[in-house]
Amino acid sequence: MSKYYPPTYSSKQFHCIHCGVFSKQNWGSLNFANGTHSEFTYTRCEHCSNRSYWYDERMIVPSEAPVPPHHSDFPDECVSEYDEARDIVARSPRAAAALLRLCVQKLMVTLGEKGKNINDDIGNLVRKGLPVEVQQALDYCRVIGNNGVHPGEIELTDNPQIAHSLFEMLNFIVEDRISRPKRVAELYSILPEGALKAVEKRDKVE
């Protein structure tokens, strides 16, 4: 996945909070009716033309979201938790981490597990041949998410970047476990029928 550039005050280009496209941003000031300047500014996305409004160098409308949007192949049943976490992460990293823990739990069902105990589900996936980097990403989300729910050794309020990284990890997991197999299956399906039957015959268990 390409690098995500979050909306940043006075930046000339970043990923738009509305359309998600990395685009040029045009800045302007909001004025009072008498023509005097206010402390509010706005930026208009050159791609979708939507505006975002800022005060004291922070985006206030829509809510500030310094993390990437969910992957295009994110399971529908997980999207609401991801988007809610994205909406509040700037104000409460712990609450966002707790929501993403629930997101991981739901994702486990999509990956063929029970979704009741995340740790057990990860262990089952490892026994099925889960790549180590995906195991590490899942355990990272599990441990950090647990710290959002219960007091732990990791202080998310003082280290918001740790909570921010959960979004990147979840998108990586979806890319590896859902998107890549989906793309391979789509390409494989266009092979000639004769070639597909030959492969099936070759791999048939006697």
Side-chain angles (χ1 to χ4, degrees):
M1 296 179 63
S2 59
K3 180 176 174 58
Y4 178 72
Y5 293 91
T8 307
Y9 183 74
S10 78
S11 291
K12 300 298 183 183
Q13 52 186 357
F14 49 69
H15 280 90
C16 174
I17 194 71
H18 296 284
C19 66
V21 173
F22 182 72
S23 176
K24 180 180 177 182
Q25 304 292 324
N26 299 300
W27 288 86
S29 298
L30 296 178
N31 299 327
F32 292 111
N34 61 5
T36 59
H37 290 293
S38 72
E39 296 182 22
F40 290 89
T41 57
Y42 70 87
T43 178
R44 183 179 62 81
C45 173
E46 198 158 281
H47 181 263
C48 68
S49 297
N50 283 316
R51 293 188 179 192
S52 302
Y53 296 91
W54 301 65
Y55 178 78
D56 195 24
E57 299 186 2
R58 292 189 63 179
M59 184 187 294
I60 56 173
V61 180
S63 298
E64 183 179 26
V67 292
H70 63 76
H71 195 289
S72 58
D73 284 327
F74 225 80
D76 291 341
E77 57 271 21
C78 302
V79 167
S80 61
E81 284 80 15
Y82 187 102
D83 285 348
E84 184 178 350
R86 186 171 184 246
D87 185 56
I88 66 172
V89 67
R91 301 188 298 279
S92 178
R94 289 183 67 246
L99 280 167
L100 292 182
R101 182 187 181 281
L102 177 58
C103 189
V104 172
Q105 196 163 354
K106 288 186 173 184
L107 182 59
M108 286 299 173
V109 178
T110 301
L111 298 182
E113 300 303 321
K114 295 179 180 179
K116 293 182 179 180
N117 185 299
I118 298 175
N119 192 48
D120 290 346
D121 288 344
I122 295 174
N124 287 334
L125 289 171
V126 169
R127 285 187 284 275
K128 294 175 184 177
L130 186 73
V132 64
E133 62 270 18
V134 183
Q135 168 260 308
Q136 291 174 347
L138 284 167
D139 276 319
Y140 182 88
C141 293
R142 176 182 64 83
V143 172
I144 301 302
N146 285 343
N147 274 265
V149 179
H150 309 290
E153 298 178 359
I154 303 171
E155 182 47 65
L156 298 177
T157 303
D158 294 337
N159 299 283
Q161 288 300 326
I162 296 177
H164 296 178
S165 65
L166 287 174
F167 296 85
E168 180 181 353
M169 283 292 197
L170 274 166
N171 280 331
F172 164 75
I173 294 164
V174 170
E175 171 67 19
D176 187 275
R177 295 288 88 192
I178 298 176
S179 298
R180 287 172 59 187
K182 177 182 173 183
R183 287 198 296 272
V184 170
E186 289 173 349
L187 292 171
Y188 187 74
S189 68
I190 68 174
L191 291 176
E193 184 177 354
L196 294 173
K197 288 183 177 179
V199 172
E200 182 181 357
K201 181 179 179 181
R202 181 198 68 193
D203 296 340
K204 185 176 181 180
V205 178
E206 298 295 339

